[in-house]
Amino acid sequence: MANIDYQKMLDEVAAELRDIDDPGEVATYIPELRNVDSRKMGIHLVTIDNSHFYFGDSNEKFSIQSISKVLSLTLALKIVGDTVWDRVGVEPSGSAFNSLVQLEYEKGIPRNPLINAGAIVVCDILVDCLDNPKFRLLEFIRASTGISSIGYNPRMAESEKKCGYRNYALVNLMKDFGNIHNEIELVLDMYFHLCSIEMTCKELAQTFLFLAAGGVSPVVNEMIVSPRQTKRINSIMQMCGFYDEAGEFAFRTGLPGKSGVGGGIVAIHPGKFSVAVWSPKLNKKGNSYKGMKLLESVTTKSQSSIF
Ligand code: DON
């Protein structure tokens, strides 16, 4: 659809959804996440020609959690290329993000890089090939967005470490199968920091814009990954970005996207835009209840799904 009035569309979406009943709940299994104000709601859309549209709490930092798994995957693909796929699959899991059952059946090879187990393997790869992987990951994100204020929240990382029983179970199981090469503590330290990255909706939308622009970031005018890798990352987001609700998100919104238990979701429309939403209350599958509705309404109103 040509000449969409994105701001008018976002204002309509906000008016429709701001005050609806939200049966979701803020994630509590990571203690630090309990402190967030559950009434927050923001959205930011940026087009590939750098036009910005937004409403609500779109300029407030929040914990992007699993959304950052796309960024660690991108960095690993840049460094070691397709060898990533020797240690992690590209299939939807159809199970919860922190599930252990599949990993036992499939001999320590995670289904995809966006479930916790897969992201932990990607962290192991980064720990393997970088001197200071935590610093290098941030450096990569800051350089590809031009936003130097993007950083970790050490309290969040510490909070996850204290209660990360399932992640410890996942990494131990994979270590036993030989799919973790480094010390478990080192790998999990990387993983917990990865999940603690904070961004605003605006920063998140800008960070993911390269995936809407064939791998070139229109923000800093630089190629982040090749068009071929871009295709792969987008298809993985489409199939695996919402765990056992990936089908529902594709069905309702029709864009590649990624969610996090902080209540954020980012979605991209190749050739058009990147859009980030934040609303902390989660549905039963661990995805933002209102965030899913906001994005469904955005693609319905703008008739701009990829399907
Ligand atoms: O490891 C965890 O469980 C969290 N740091 C990340 C989980 C997450 O965001 C899953 N997404 N919906």
Side-chain angles (χ1 to χ4, degrees):
M1 191 194 242
N3 292 331
I4 302 165
D5 186 341
Y6 284 114
Q7 192 58 51
K8 182 165 169 279
M9 189 248 310
L10 291 190
D11 290 341
E12 283 172 18
V13 169
E16 271 170 25
L17 293 170
R18 184 178 285 123
D19 299 319
I20 60 160
D21 185 39
D22 188 340
E25 281 176 33
V26 171
T28 51
Y29 78 103
I30 302 169
E32 193 63 27
L33 279 178
R34 291 178 197 156
N35 301 330
V36 72
D37 179 350
S38 66
R39 294 161 303 182
K40 295 287 179 187
M41 180 174 114
I43 184 163
H44 192 106
L45 186 150
V46 56
T47 60
I48 57 167
D49 56 5
N50 257 320
S51 299
H52 293 256
F53 309 92
Y54 47 89
F55 69 75
D57 305 303
S58 60
N59 240 333
E60 221 174 285
K61 296 254 191 205
F62 63 94
S63 185
I64 70 166
Q65 288 291 328
S66 285
I67 298 173
S68 59
K69 292 171 181 171
V70 178
L71 304 174
S72 47
L73 172 66
T74 303
L75 181 58
L77 286 171
K78 271 173 87 70
I79 299 170
V80 301
D82 286 345
T83 60
V84 169
W85 311 120
D86 297 341
R87 294 176 56 192
V88 59
V90 295
E91 297 296 339
S93 66
S95 50
F97 58 85
N98 52 9
S99 173
L100 281 146
V101 280
Q102 225 163 33
L103 201 56
E104 167 76 0
Y105 286 132
E106 297 180 0
K107 305 204 173 348
I109 306 290
R111 273 283 170 108
N112 67 67
L114 302 185
I115 51 175
N116 288 14
I120 291 170
V121 168
V122 170
C123 283
D124 188 53
I125 292 171
L126 295 178
V127 169
D128 246 348
C129 58
L130 295 173
D131 268 348
N132 187 344
K134 281 192 285 185
F135 173 77
R136 290 289 298 281
L137 177 71
L138 271 193
E139 191 180 55
F140 163 65
I141 297 171
R142 288 171 176 170
S144 52
T145 56
I147 308 167
S148 58
S149 67
I150 294 173
Y152 301 118
N153 176 343
R155 276 199 326 275
M156 186 67 70
E158 193 52 37
S159 181
E160 285 219 50
K161 186 178 174 178
K162 280 199 184 121
C163 317
Y165 309 114
R166 272 188 173 266
N167 290 322
Y168 274 95
L170 291 167
V171 78
N172 275 290
L173 190 56
M174 292 191 289
K175 182 90 181 166
D176 185 65
F177 278 114
N179 200 16
I180 293 292
H181 300 169
N182 297 281
E183 287 306 314
I184 279 169
E185 289 298 339
L186 218 54
V187 178
L188 281 184
D189 183 58
M190 179 72 206
Y191 175 79
F192 293 139
H193 277 84
L194 173 69
C195 294
S196 81
I197 293 174
E198 294 186 329
M199 292 190 197
T200 66
C201 287
K202 180 181 182 183
E203 290 168 346
L204 189 54
Q206 281 184 300
T207 302
F208 275 68
L209 198 53
F210 74 97
L211 292 172
V216 177
S217 165
V219 186
V220 289
N221 246 323
E222 255 181 54
M223 178 167 280
I224 311 298
V225 276
S226 67
R228 177 169 165 269
Q229 298 293 29
T230 305
K231 175 189 76 179
R232 296 184 153 187
I233 297 165
N234 285 345
S235 64
I236 287 169
M237 285 206 292
Q238 184 74 63
M239 302 300 289
C240 317
F242 292 75
Y243 318 107
D244 45 344
E245 212 175 20
E248 186 76 15
F249 187 74
F251 184 73
R252 292 217 237 147
T253 300
L255 294 178
K258 182 75 199 84
S259 69
V261 291
I265 303 178
V266 65
I268 59 111
H269 193 311
K272 289 190 178 165
F273 61 75
S274 162
V275 57
V277 299
W278 175 44
S279 172
K281 285 185 168 182
L282 310 180
N283 65 18
K284 295 258 181 314
K285 302 279 171 97
N287 299 312
S288 170
Y289 177 84
K290 267 194 191 174
M292 298 271 285
K293 289 213 172 301
L294 287 166
L295 289 174
E296 178 180 7
S297 187
V298 164
T299 53
T300 304
K301 284 187 193 299
S302 61
Q303 295 177 21
S304 61
S305 115
I306 64 166
F307 296 110

